[in-house]
Amino acid sequence: MSTDQIVRTFVEYFEERGHQRITGSTLLPPPGNPVLFTTSGMHPLTPYLEGRPHPLGRRLVNVQRCLRTTDLEEVGDSTHLTVFEMLGSWSLGDYGGPTSLDWGYGLLTEGFGVDPGLIHATAFGGDDQSGPDTDSLRLWQERGVPVELTVEDNWWSNGPTGPCGPDSEIFLWTGDSPPESTPTGDDRWVEVWNHVMMRHRRLPDGSLVPLPQRNIDTGLGLERLASLLQGRRSVFECDVFDPWRRLVPGLWQLDELSLRLVYDHLRSAVVVIGDGVRPANTGRGYVLRRLVRRVLTVLRRDDPSRGLGDLPDELIEHTLDHFCQGEDPEVVRRVLIEEERRFGRLLERGRQVLARPRFQGPLSEEDLHYLHDTHGLPRDLVLNLRETV
Ligand code: SER
């Protein structure tokens, strides 16, 4: 099943159950939201989770692009991407958690053909502020699905304050041998779908108060599910990355881990630029800058002549099309190349400064601050240069 078919199946399944499709938003969260980028489907919907009536009603379904920088260091493993898509279903004060989980189980097993024997669930076991999620536990037991209770892993929040609640997560077994252990005990259990019972708000003093309505917010990672349904070992092998796998290895000979980083970061950079962000030293622009610089560092490690000017148009166009972004591919290319030039100049300056006698021994914290504040050389760039000069 291709990712397009997965999206269609998901959306139609929820439409048949009274949900209205809403268009996903860009990666830029609405004003007032504490996050830099949209990291989950709930951000554009926060006012409606907090009680404002949504013009399309109480049941919604969507596909939302998300960006998670917390996962940047994990990119390259089989399940993490910087930019990914989340399929979401929403009950804004309408049906409850067991209905959502039951539909989720039905869609996975009947709609997507997942073997019920390869499913494991987790649910909130309770803490001193909120009791155990017995509704989810009962639903899973009735369906014969094994369920593990945890505390921190099954509580979802958007930050230290704001809407939050217990969640129940659905994991699929990815091992070659029959399923064993539990999601916290064996990472061959991969989380694909989170159902959050978003019914509390955390106040700055840490206490919980009920939201005006009891909501359900679910998020299913599209590329993860696609790779599992397509029988692939990693998200980089699902159909979303077909053009990248076809074009990049012939262009730049890199090991598999480096290729994955290049696919992920360049694709993410294109989407971020497509949403109007430009490289900068702070905020969103700095995330973009880091993505591009990490790619350049990998590309130039073995061959300094490699550059983004060689990036095939098709990859930029395919990405902008996939995310329905109207940005001109030539503009995206120019932003990437300009950033590459700036990085080149910075590296040159870095090499010259680091050649000074003062920096020949081990670098102190004070040196690193000086290099950053006076010469604009970020810590990771300095440390990288020290390994190579
Ligand atoms: N907000 C939840 C998550 O991001 C479910 O969509 O996992």
Side-chain angles (χ1 to χ4, degrees):
M1 203 182 252
S2 68
T3 42
D4 285 347
Q5 285 168 318
I6 294 174
V7 171
R8 240 191 335 272
T9 306
F10 183 92
V11 170
E12 282 169 9
Y13 183 86
F14 282 98
E15 282 175 344
E16 281 160 16
R17 287 158 183 76
H19 295 64
Q20 299 292 322
R21 179 164 188 175
I22 51 169
T23 45
S25 306
T26 73
L27 285 173
L28 314 190
N33 203 297
V35 293
L36 210 50
F37 284 104
T38 291
T39 58
S40 99
M42 68 156 294
H43 292 135
L45 289 167
T46 308
Y48 309 105
L49 293 165
E50 292 183 322
R52 188 199 294 175
H54 194 284
L56 290 179
R58 292 181 171 275
R59 298 184 181 192
L60 307 174
V61 58
N62 70 346
V63 185
Q64 175 63 50
R65 55 177 171 269
C66 300
L67 184 151
R68 291 196 177 168
T69 47
T70 39
D71 294 343
L72 217 52
E73 303 305 328
E74 291 180 61
V75 165
D77 74 6
S78 353
T79 54
H80 289 88
L81 293 171
T82 306
V83 166
F84 64 98
E85 289 180 278
M86 200 185 264
L87 303 172
S89 59
W90 309 85
S91 159
L92 301 172
D94 193 330
Y95 57 85
T99 302
S100 179
L101 294 173
D102 198 28
W103 286 344
Y105 181 72
L107 176 56
L108 283 176
T109 53
E110 285 153 36
F112 293 129
V114 172
D115 174 355
L118 301 181
I119 297 180
H120 205 303
T122 61
F124 183 63
D127 63 13
D128 51 5
Q129 282 185 300
S130 198
D133 181 6
T134 47
D135 288 346
S136 300
L137 183 60
R138 196 171 315 117
L139 183 281
W140 290 127
Q141 284 168 341
E142 281 166 15
R143 295 287 166 278
V145 173
V147 49
E148 179 179 27
L149 296 178
T150 86
V151 180
E152 280 90 15
D153 287 351
N154 284 98
W155 186 270
W156 203 88
S157 61
N158 182 29
T161 59
C164 58
D167 66 44
S168 181
E169 300 178 1
I170 304 177
F171 290 73
L172 301 187
W173 177 252
T174 60
D176 295 324
S177 49
E180 57 184 276
S181 188
T182 62
T184 62
D186 192 321
D187 60 13
R188 287 175 293 176
W189 287 108
V190 171
E191 184 207 335
V192 291
W193 201 348
N194 189 9
H195 293 236
V196 185
M197 298 9 123
M198 193 83 78
R199 51 178 184 243
H200 303 283
R201 183 204 309 277
R202 195 176 295 282
L203 302 178
D205 68 3
S207 61
L208 293 176
V209 291
L211 284 173
Q213 64 194 25
R214 294 160 78 88
N215 309 289
I216 303 295
D217 148 17
T218 87
L220 173 66
L222 175 61
E223 297 83 353
R224 263 190 208 184
L225 182 67
S227 61
L228 297 177
L229 294 181
Q230 292 166 13
R232 303 299 164 88
R233 293 218 154 261
S234 86
V235 282
F236 297 97
E237 289 166 64
C238 80
D239 59 339
V240 164
F241 286 95
D242 279 350
W244 294 84
R245 281 200 320 279
R246 177 163 47 77
L247 294 169
V248 176
L251 184 64
W252 298 314
Q253 278 80 52
L254 296 164
D255 60 73
E256 176 61 20
L257 198 63
S258 305
L259 280 173
R260 289 179 177 191
L261 187 139
V262 168
Y263 301 159
D264 172 82
H265 284 19
L266 275 181
R267 177 171 172 270
S268 300
V270 172
V271 185
V272 170
I273 296 169
D275 274 347
V277 177
R278 296 293 176 265
N281 279 337
T282 54
R284 296 186 186 114
Y286 187 60
V287 173
L288 173 59
R289 177 156 280 169
R290 273 188 70 205
L291 288 169
V292 177
R293 288 183 177 176
R294 279 166 60 100
V295 169
L296 290 169
T297 305
V298 165
L299 289 185
R300 293 172 167 197
R301 203 171 39 210
D302 315 319
D303 181 354
S305 71
R306 287 179 184 149
L308 298 180
D310 297 328
L311 187 67
D313 288 333
E314 184 185 333
L315 296 178
I316 301 179
E317 286 160 11
H318 172 265
T319 306
L320 294 173
D321 280 353
H322 178 85
F323 288 93
C324 303
Q325 293 175 302
E327 187 60 279
D328 178 354
E330 257 321 295
V331 171
V332 175
R333 176 181 293 285
R334 274 207 297 277
V335 172
L336 290 172
I337 290 176
E338 179 47 37
E339 185 56 16
E340 177 175 47
R341 288 207 189 103
R342 198 177 292 116
F343 185 55
R345 291 195 293 269
L346 194 64
L347 282 179
E348 197 39 50
R349 185 155 78 244
R351 282 199 192 92
Q352 286 168 9
V353 175
L354 287 177
R356 292 179 191 167
R358 165 175 175 184
F359 301 116
Q360 294 316 299
L363 294 176
S364 64
E365 276 303 307
E366 199 190 329
D367 290 331
L368 288 167
H369 281 300
Y370 167 82
L371 289 166
H372 182 263
D373 296 345
T374 311
H375 295 282
L377 299 170
R379 169 189 292 259
D380 45 356
L381 182 127
V382 169
L383 297 178
N384 235 310
L385 277 173
R386 282 302 290 256
E387 284 172 17
T388 50
V389 288

